[in-house]
Amino acid sequence: MQEILNKDFIQYQTNYKTKEEVFENIASLAVEQGMATDKEPVVKGLFRREEESTTGFFDGFAIPHTKVKEIKQAGIVIIVNESGIEWNSMDGNPAKFFISILIPEAEGGSTHLQVLAAISRMLMHEEVRQALLEANGAEEIYTILKSHLEGNN
């Protein structure tokens, strides 16, 4: 699972105002980093998934995810926003910490479910959510995630 997590996929202290801005920037980063070939299908896939049911979790976390053919390499894009954005979260609070899972369509069943399950398990622990929210920068976020996800391979 380690190869889908990369420090270059983390944006820290962003100032986005809407779900669309978050999705646009997740998709842009995915294209810039060679993870995806086209931004629009990634944005549409993220919105489509959100329409099925919210990806908003607890304490300001959301796990937007999609699998489309334009994604060529599985990856996790992380955006930590300065302020919360309305996300229809399970606890009713706005989201500001986005852990977005992007999966090639062909790997939809296995990789997608493994990564989603590992991240969901990790976020069940309040101390992990707190550590991520208090992290100072991409390096610290990467270290926290890497240490927790490696134990869940």
Side-chain angles (χ1 to χ4, degrees):
M1 192 171 304
Q2 177 181 343
E3 68 279 357
I4 68 171
L5 186 62
N6 183 316
K7 285 179 218 124
D8 295 334
F9 303 167
I10 301 173
Q11 287 186 343
Y12 182 69
Q13 291 183 319
T14 58
N15 203 13
Y16 304 130
K17 304 284 185 225
T18 65
K19 193 177 283 191
E20 185 164 356
E21 281 184 287
V22 171
F23 288 169
E24 289 276 337
N25 283 281
I26 288 169
S28 290
L29 192 60
V31 170
E32 284 166 27
Q33 296 295 331
M35 223 185 304
T37 57
D38 189 357
K39 187 175 137 177
E40 279 313 303
V42 175
V43 172
K44 286 182 176 140
L46 289 166
F47 270 113
R48 208 170 27 250
R49 172 57 190 84
E50 207 64 41
E51 287 166 9
E52 292 171 21
S53 66
T54 184
T55 59
F57 205 65
F58 299 99
D59 294 338
F61 284 87
I63 313 173
H65 51 282
T66 191
K67 50 184 190 265
V68 294
K69 69 180 187 309
E70 289 78 7
I71 297 170
K72 299 302 176 197
Q73 169 194 332
I76 299 173
V77 174
I78 296 160
I79 292 182
V80 185
N81 209 47
E82 286 289 297
S83 57
I85 297 171
E86 176 49 48
W87 213 267
N88 197 23
S89 298
M90 291 181 199
D91 62 2
N93 291 323
K96 63 185 264 183
F97 200 112
F98 304 95
I99 302 174
S100 183
I101 306 166
L102 304 178
I103 304 291
E105 205 168 52
E107 296 175 34
S110 57
T111 307
H112 179 240
L113 295 175
Q114 287 172 342
V115 175
L116 189 57
I119 289 172
S120 298
R121 273 195 307 272
M122 177 189 76
L123 290 179
M124 295 301 277
H125 302 282
E126 187 177 345
E127 68 277 6
V128 176
R129 294 193 309 268
Q130 205 56 47
L132 287 168
L133 289 170
E134 292 171 2
N136 290 311
E139 182 79 35
E140 212 173 307
I141 291 166
Y142 173 80
T143 302
I144 293 165
L145 285 172
K146 186 171 185 251
S147 68
H148 284 88
L149 292 178
E150 281 180 346
N152 287 316
N153 279 341

